Amino acid sequence: MSNSSVSRTYIQETPSTLLAWIVISVFILFTSLCIAIGAGSIFRPGYIALSLAIAIFFYLRYPTFYIGFTWWIWFLTPLISRLIDYRSGFDESRLILLSQYLVSLVPIYTFFRDLPKSYRQGGLPFILGFLGVLYGFLIGLVKTSPMTAARSMLDWFTPIPFAFYLFINWRNYPQYRQSIQRTFLWGVLVMGTYGIVQYLIAPDWDRFWLISTKLTSFGDPVPLGLRVWGTQSSPGPFAVTMMTGLLLLLNATGLFSFAAAGVGYLSFLLTMVRTLWGCWFVGLLTMFSSLKPRLQMRLIVTILVIAICVIPLVTMEPFADAINSRLQTLTNLEKDDSAKVRQKIYEEGIGKALTNGLGNGIGNTFVVDKDGILRPIVIDSGILDMFFTLGWFGAIFYLGGLILVLHQILQYTEFRFDSFMAACRSIVIGCFAALPGGSVMLGLSGIILWCFIALAIAGHKYYVHQRITNNLYS
């Protein structure tokens, strides 16, 4: 789809969105009905097919709806998966989660059509990222089975074409900005509220799922005993999503945004993911330092109001003990087991990773268990994961693309007057800060990293174009 055709679509979109909302209503009705009657055998393939069909329809006719719909599929599908498992039996293959990747890959035609010529438009980081992933996939095909390589390829590859779609259609930056700001405002409210409910009562479907998966690191399947993972499949991706939404909420105004921030910050703390707490703080400092003094003062006022809303919540029981005990470990890392484990991973893994020239290939982070189910191997470092998986050759391309785009973003000046762009940059830097502690370039976290990279570039290109246009007609 060309930039001009997308722009024309936006002009026509506003008065005719009734059809889009009808489609969404049908999707919600289908999902609710199948969960209510426990029709798992019908629902799982039906959910995948219907969500993909809706995504294609929105992509062709309602681009902003497509962007919002894709985010909501990522936000809620893991929870929907647990609900249908509880009603109709646990599905170890977790087939329904395929819908998230398929919906995000809808712009793949645009990606392959425009990627070669995007070099002149600033698309080199996407080209380098894709080349690194392609190399890792080819090595994975040789060293593993096609099934395991393809499954892991979804996590590595999917964020790039979806983000590229936002980048290549940079003329629609204002619409993307409005859509994503609104989507994350509602997303933080919904996901944050559910996260608090999950901690307080441990719903039956979450307990059933936790017992079925035997994930002991998520806590005990009892009220007040869980590490909150909210609507996601684990605390890490949920924390990255909440970090992103909370940084975006610093741009929002009104009582509704403060209510969303209240539940958002509380659920974010209840994830107990200290690395992401620190990354949020890094993002906050980055955002504050990039704004003009007037916008800095507005940001300070926003932070003070949010603090007034959040502090009473985190200091009352039953939240205070859990959060405070986790905070205290930050000052006593010598006795912290998870810190020791991560230190050991680096001590044992860094030498192997940096001497692995060819790499193990994409797919070697998955194993097939005795039941024939693909299960991931967790590597608590995005940096080590890149070198283990992609080797030196692939990592130079992939990591080089990320470093190049970070350098570009740091040179932009539009952050000083566009607080959304400032939030995009703070999110990107926050994700970069998380790389030593986790593979935030994969799956939902990777979608967030690459998408906000794309939005920052798109915003810059949009404002440059506006300045050139204004100079021509002034």
Side-chain angles (χ1 to χ4, degrees):
M1 182 179 293
S2 67
N3 292 331
S4 59
S5 63
V6 173
S7 299
R8 287 195 298 270
T9 302
Y10 278 121
I11 294 173
Q12 298 169 2
E13 182 176 332
T14 303
S16 59
T17 57
L18 177 61
L19 179 59
W21 286 111
I22 292 174
V23 169
I24 291 174
S25 299
V26 171
F27 183 66
I28 293 173
L29 181 62
F30 167 76
T31 301
S32 303
L33 181 62
C34 287
I35 291 174
I37 65 176
S41 59
I42 298 174
F43 176 68
R44 292 186 182 101
Y47 182 88
I48 295 170
L50 187 57
S51 61
L52 178 59
I54 292 172
I56 294 172
F57 172 69
F58 284 166
Y59 171 76
L60 295 174
R61 185 162 180 179
Y62 301 99
T64 52
F65 271 82
Y66 167 69
I67 300 299
F69 180 73
T70 302
W71 282 115
W72 279 108
I73 289 292
W74 280 99
F75 289 167
L76 298 181
T77 299
L79 172 60
I80 292 170
S81 175
R82 297 198 294 273
L83 288 168
I84 196 63
D85 282 354
Y86 177 70
R87 294 289 299 164
S88 59
F90 184 66
D91 176 25
E92 290 200 33
S93 70
R94 307 191 71 196
L95 177 66
I96 194 175
L97 299 186
L98 181 63
S99 60
Q100 303 169 113
Y101 299 97
L102 294 179
V103 165
S104 304
L105 287 171
V106 166
I108 197 168
Y109 169 74
T110 300
F111 176 73
F112 284 116
R113 183 194 65 191
D114 295 337
L115 185 66
K117 62 185 179 184
S118 68
Y119 174 79
R120 295 177 178 271
Q121 303 178 49
L124 181 59
F126 298 94
I127 297 173
L128 293 175
F130 171 66
L131 290 176
V133 171
L134 178 62
Y135 169 81
F137 178 64
L138 295 177
I139 295 296
L141 287 177
V142 174
K143 293 192 173 185
T144 66
S145 69
M147 181 178 67
T148 54
R151 169 60 188 88
S152 193
M153 182 66 169
L154 290 174
D155 285 322
W156 281 92
F157 175 64
T158 302
I160 300 176
F162 182 66
F164 183 82
Y165 174 71
L166 301 177
F167 155 76
I168 203 67
N169 292 300
W170 55 266
R171 288 181 175 84
N172 303 310
Y173 167 74
Q175 291 89 346
Y176 293 154
R177 176 179 59 191
Q178 181 182 15
S179 174
I180 290 174
Q181 185 78 48
R182 181 175 60 246
T183 298
F184 272 87
L185 170 61
W186 282 98
V188 169
L189 180 65
V190 172
M191 292 184 291
T193 301
Y194 183 82
I196 296 172
V197 171
Q198 183 182 63
Y199 180 75
L200 291 175
I201 68 174
D204 292 341
W205 44 88
D206 287 332
R207 284 186 284 167
F208 173 77
W209 182 81
L210 191 58
I211 293 169
S212 300
T213 56
K214 302 179 177 64
L215 293 171
T216 56
S217 61
F218 291 7
D220 299 320
V222 295
L224 312 183
L226 298 171
R227 286 181 63 191
V228 165
W229 68 90
T231 60
Q232 298 302 312
S233 299
S234 66
F238 182 68
V240 174
T241 308
M242 296 307 295
M243 178 194 76
T244 302
L246 293 170
L247 289 172
L248 286 173
L249 279 181
L250 295 175
N251 298 318
T253 58
L255 295 178
F256 186 74
S257 63
F258 294 124
V263 295
Y265 278 105
L266 182 54
S267 64
F268 180 51
L269 291 171
L270 290 172
T271 64
M272 309 299 173
V273 183
R274 296 167 304 181
T275 301
L276 272 302
W277 296 352
C279 294
W280 170 85
F281 186 68
V282 170
L284 176 64
L285 293 180
T286 302
M287 186 173 178
F288 181 79
S289 63
S290 63
L291 296 172
K292 286 183 176 180
R294 179 178 60 84
L295 293 177
Q296 285 180 337
M297 289 302 301
R298 193 182 77 177
L299 181 60
I300 290 173
V301 172
T302 302
I303 292 171
L304 289 175
V305 174
I306 290 174
I308 292 172
C309 297
V310 173
I311 290 176
L313 294 174
V314 300
T315 55
M316 68 172 61
E317 295 301 340
F319 310 115
D321 282 346
I323 295 173
N324 289 335
S325 62
R326 192 65 170 169
L327 286 170
Q328 289 171 5
T329 62
L330 294 173
T331 60
N332 193 13
L333 294 178
E334 295 82 3
K335 297 182 179 180
D336 182 63
D337 291 336
S338 62
K340 291 179 180 178
V341 169
R342 186 166 283 118
Q343 181 181 356
K344 187 176 181 181
I345 289 173
Y346 266 93
E347 290 174 352
E348 296 179 353
I350 192 167
K352 296 178 182 178
L354 297 181
T355 56
N356 191 353
L358 292 177
N360 294 330
I362 288 177
N364 265 325
T365 50
F366 279 83
V367 295
V368 181
D369 65 13
K370 61 182 181 180
D371 299 319
I373 303 299
L374 278 174
R375 297 195 183 278
I377 301 172
V378 178
I379 301 177
D380 275 342
S381 168
I383 304 298
L384 293 183
D385 198 356
M386 286 185 204
F387 283 95
F388 268 126
T389 303
L390 307 179
W392 269 98
F393 187 80
I396 286 174
F397 280 99
Y398 190 87
L399 188 57
L402 289 177
I403 293 173
L404 174 63
V405 78
L406 180 63
H407 175 73
Q408 289 179 359
I409 287 174
L410 292 175
Q411 307 306 311
Y412 297 159
T413 59
E414 293 86 1
F415 301 110
R416 296 188 61 78
F417 60 83
D418 187 333
S419 58
F420 179 82
M421 277 190 68
C424 290
R425 185 172 75 160
S426 70
I427 291 164
V428 171
I429 292 175
C431 289
F432 265 86
L435 278 173
S439 299
V440 294
M441 66 286 184
L442 305 180
L444 174 57
S445 301
I447 291 279
I448 289 171
L449 171 62
W450 279 99
C451 279
F452 284 93
I453 285 173
L455 287 166
I457 301 174
H460 169 71
K461 291 176 68 65
Y462 174 80
Y463 286 116
V464 169
H465 178 73
Q466 290 293 104
R467 287 195 294 270
I468 293 174
T469 303
N470 291 336
N471 288 337
L472 287 175
Y473 292 99
S474 61

